[in-house]
Amino acid sequence: MSAGSAAPRGRVAMVSGSLVEVDRLPGAVVSEVVALGPAGLLGEVVAIADGVLTVQAYEDTGGLAPGAPATALGQPLSAYLGPHLLGGVFDGLLRPLSDADDWLEPGAGPANRDARRWEFTPSVSTGERLAPGQEIGTLGGDGPLELRVTVPPDAGEGEPGPVESVVPAGTYRADETLAVVAGRPIAMASTWPVRRPRPVGARVDDPAALHTGQRVLDLLQPVARGSTASVPGGFGTGKTMLLQQIAKWCDADVIVYVGCGERGNEMADIVEELQSLVDPRTGRALRLRTVVIANTSNMPMMAREASIYTGVTVAEYFRDMGLHAVVIADSTSRWAEALREFASRRGALPAEEGYPAGLASALAAFYERAGEVRTLGGRGGSVTIIGAVSPPGGDMTEPVTAHTQRFVRATWMLDRDLAYARHYPAVAWAGSFSRDAGVLAGWHARNGDASWARRRARMGSLLAESDRLASLAELVGESAMPGPERVVLLAGRLLRECVLRQNALSANDGFCSAAKGAALVDAVLAVVDRCESLVESGVPATRIEEVDLGALVRAAEATGPDDVDGVVARRETVLAALEGLS
């Protein structure tokens, strides 16, 4: 984005942090991008009253003074989308950080040129008629994904147009014209306004499970592709670690990780890990299917507000190629705090805890952009949104947490007591929920796991009953409780230790396949069933508790991510030990 010589110019009337008022700028409209001051600081018009524009600045306004020039750029805040995004690290305005200096140059717009070249193979010929979303050709290169060049969604007002020309197969830069359709030049890269959802052919109501590799999520609180989830948790409960695990191991095609207001060292750790990890699905570097948007806590506040829209726009771009994308926003609380600060500077009437009255609507609009769809080109794709929430003091009733739970399909609530007990992931099975579980039970049954729903229900009931009895055991002592209740307490411990606890740093246990997760649960349930039958036959619970269950407890870390046979062997070892009691 750059100011043209003929663009309308006004002057800065007032500066208050990220809020700038501009007057004498005729023709400017709400959502238009404005260049402020001699450096051309980027800002966006958010309101117009009596000829005065209220602009939210996306860069540090230090040194910007009343009387400085302001130039309307004639376009909304837009993202420059193309194959160059994969493997890159960008700021909230999608400006590359990989080769940037310690501080970005003020007023620098997104880099619209990339020296790299990609192999392009056309799939159409001159004279064919193409509608928006239809494929022009495919891209080759170092990445593991098949990328497509398509007719932009806003081309030709939705009507098919003739292919007037198309380049032969070869290598081209992202900004070079590859084809002309109905008079419009089309390149690999294009721009799209970040606040406008990209259009789709239709939403699809045929969900498939998003496998995260984290047992507590996949077995108890699953999320579907194209769905939404929130991860609320106080400081030190492991939000960032859980989100990093999902980013590394979930079975999406593209991961868009948005670090919104988080600490710089955490973002540096994420980037370093992505650079070094190998994708288990493709055998290639994991970074080749990730896009990192880093808007850390020391970056301009209002760029946080734009960063999540930039992230979901990037995900929609890859979705329109027929890919499955996951947006991980860490954290939406920092984004909401940016909204609160700017609303306060504008003098807007505050709502609960000072947040703007439109907070709920803004959250709903963000999560609404998730979904599994049929694209304009007829391909299937999805955008799944997972947002972290950082409630101050761990207060789960505060506005951001409460409103978010209204709009998401799953909530993975992190429990401070579990975290302090070194139980990770510290997802509370009692406080979390999944609205996708019912429909995913049918999906699992159609894909060879008819017992998934029964297994999940049995786990949930045992964990709930174990928690209830644990409170009673603290009062009267576990040894004073009847045998059947002591077996339930044992079942709760086994589910927590053998299934729900997972070591993110373990080569065997950092990721768990669906088959191994099912085998671990079935092993625990088989042992519990055997213990219950022994108690019913008169065997004292004390003798059962003395049996060495270590082979089962260590099964997750001692066997590989897909080693179902190893889990079964350890189950049989424990069952054989229990047989000796009968």
Side-chain angles (χ1 to χ4, degrees):
M1 285 178 270
S2 61
S5 58
R9 295 174 67 89
R11 68 176 184 85
V12 173
M14 187 268 287
V15 180
S16 175
S18 57
L19 184 146
V20 179
E21 289 189 352
V22 175
D23 60 12
R24 302 178 188 175
L25 189 57
V29 297
V30 172
S31 298
E32 184 174 357
V33 175
V34 176
L36 302 168
L41 306 179
L42 295 179
E44 183 181 11
V45 179
V46 296
I48 302 175
D50 299 326
V52 177
L53 281 63
T54 301
V55 177
Q56 61 180 22
Y58 291 120
E59 303 187 71
D60 184 11
T61 56
L64 183 66
T71 306
L73 301 187
Q75 59 182 322
L77 183 67
S78 301
Y80 185 67
L81 308 170
H84 64 283
L85 295 175
L86 290 175
V89 183
F90 306 87
D91 76 343
L93 302 182
L94 219 57
R95 298 178 293 192
L97 298 177
S98 302
D99 54 357
D101 294 331
D102 291 343
W103 300 98
L104 282 173
E105 179 183 350
N112 289 359
R113 288 189 176 274
D114 194 299
R116 289 177 292 172
R117 305 176 75 88
W118 287 265
E119 297 175 5
F120 172 72
T121 304
S123 53
V124 297
S125 304
T126 303
E128 294 186 35
R129 297 184 67 81
L130 296 180
Q134 290 188 308
E135 180 180 309
I136 295 173
T138 58
L139 301 180
D142 296 333
L145 303 175
E146 182 182 37
L147 303 181
R148 295 178 173 88
V149 179
T150 61
V151 180
D154 57 350
E157 298 182 355
E159 297 298 325
V163 178
E164 298 173 6
S165 66
V166 62
V167 299
T171 59
Y172 300 90
R173 293 195 315 272
D175 60 345
E176 290 187 84
T177 298
L178 302 178
V180 177
V181 177
R184 175 166 178 167
I186 296 174
M188 298 179 201
S190 60
T191 59
W192 187 265
V194 299
R195 301 189 191 279
R196 185 195 308 167
R198 289 171 68 94
V200 299
R203 286 188 175 253
V204 178
D205 190 17
D206 184 22
L210 177 73
H211 186 68
T212 65
Q214 309 307 299
R215 290 186 293 270
V216 65
L217 307 183
D218 297 330
L219 296 170
L220 273 180
Q221 311 297 352
V223 66
R225 277 181 179 167
S227 192
T228 53
S230 66
V231 188
F235 179 78
T237 53
K239 287 189 303 298
T240 299
M241 177 61 76
L242 178 58
L243 294 176
Q244 289 180 19
Q245 287 295 98
I246 295 172
K248 288 186 286 188
W249 303 118
C250 78
D251 60 354
D253 298 314
V254 176
I255 305 296
V256 182
Y257 196 103
V258 184
C260 180
E262 291 303 298
R263 294 180 292 276
N265 60 336
E266 291 184 355
M267 290 305 305
D269 290 342
I270 293 169
V271 173
E272 185 178 354
E273 281 204 60
L274 293 176
Q275 295 282 353
S276 60
L277 285 173
V278 175
D279 186 353
R281 299 173 60 204
T282 64
R284 311 287 294 279
L286 185 62
R287 66 176 179 82
L288 296 177
R289 65 178 183 95
T290 61
V291 180
V292 177
I293 297 177
N295 197 261
T296 55
S297 55
N298 65 330
M299 291 183 175
M301 176 201 64
M302 291 315 299
R304 300 182 201 171
E305 191 270 344
S307 63
I308 66 166
Y309 296 107
T310 301
V312 76
T313 301
V314 170
E316 290 174 343
Y317 166 72
F318 289 107
R319 175 206 66 193
D320 289 350
M321 295 183 184
L323 301 174
H324 299 287
V326 170
V327 178
I328 297 176
D330 185 13
S331 89
T332 57
S333 292
R334 308 289 177 253
W335 166 76
E337 288 168 4
L339 294 179
R340 179 170 61 184
E341 179 171 335
F342 190 77
S344 176
R345 290 183 182 278
R346 289 182 60 188
L349 186 66
E352 188 178 1
E353 295 192 18
Y355 287 104
L359 173 65
S361 298
L363 283 166
F366 169 60
Y367 284 107
E368 180 65 23
R369 293 178 70 168
E372 182 149 9
V373 305
R374 187 176 69 252
T375 67
L376 294 176
R379 293 173 293 274
S382 68
V383 172
T384 306
I385 298 179
I386 301 173
V389 186
S390 306
D395 178 13
M396 298 300 176
T397 64
E398 61 90 32
V400 181
T401 306
H403 287 311
T404 297
Q405 291 186 39
R406 293 168 51 198
F407 305 122
V408 296
R409 298 285 299 171
T411 287
W412 303 325
M413 190 170 291
L414 302 184
D415 185 85
R416 188 184 301 273
D417 292 335
L418 287 175
Y420 286 177
R422 305 236 190 283
H423 179 109
Y424 292 103
V427 177
W429 41 86
S432 303
F433 66 83
S434 171
R435 297 185 176 107
D436 290 333
V439 294
L440 290 180
W443 180 86
H444 280 287
R446 293 191 301 272
N447 286 269
D449 189 1
S451 301
W452 184 87
R454 177 195 57 78
R455 190 184 299 119
R456 175 178 182 269
R458 180 88 187 279
M459 285 179 64
S461 63
L462 282 174
L463 288 168
E465 184 67 7
S466 175
D467 288 346
R468 185 185 70 83
L469 292 175
S471 301
L472 182 60
E474 290 178 356
L475 294 176
V476 302
E478 186 173 338
S479 60
M481 300 182 70
E485 280 76 7
R486 291 170 69 173
V487 171
V488 172
L489 290 172
L490 175 62
R493 288 196 298 270
L494 287 176
L495 286 172
R496 291 192 296 270
E497 298 299 321
C498 304
V499 180
L500 302 183
R501 187 194 293 265
Q502 201 163 343
N503 185 356
L505 304 180
S506 168
N508 284 339
D509 203 28
F511 166 81
C512 182
S513 67
K516 180 183 174 181
L520 284 169
V521 178
D522 288 341
V524 170
L525 296 181
V527 169
V528 171
D529 289 341
R530 184 57 185 148
C531 291
E532 289 177 344
S533 65
L534 289 172
V535 168
E536 290 175 0
S537 66
V539 176
T542 304
R543 292 189 61 197
I544 295 175
E545 292 167 346
E546 291 173 351
V547 173
D548 182 11
L549 304 179
L552 186 58
V553 173
R554 294 187 294 270
E557 287 210 49
T559 57
D562 301 292
D563 188 3
V564 174
D565 293 339
V567 174
V568 171
R570 288 172 172 269
R571 179 193 70 188
E572 295 304 318
T573 299
V574 173
L575 289 176
L578 290 172
E579 285 297 327
L581 301 180
S582 57

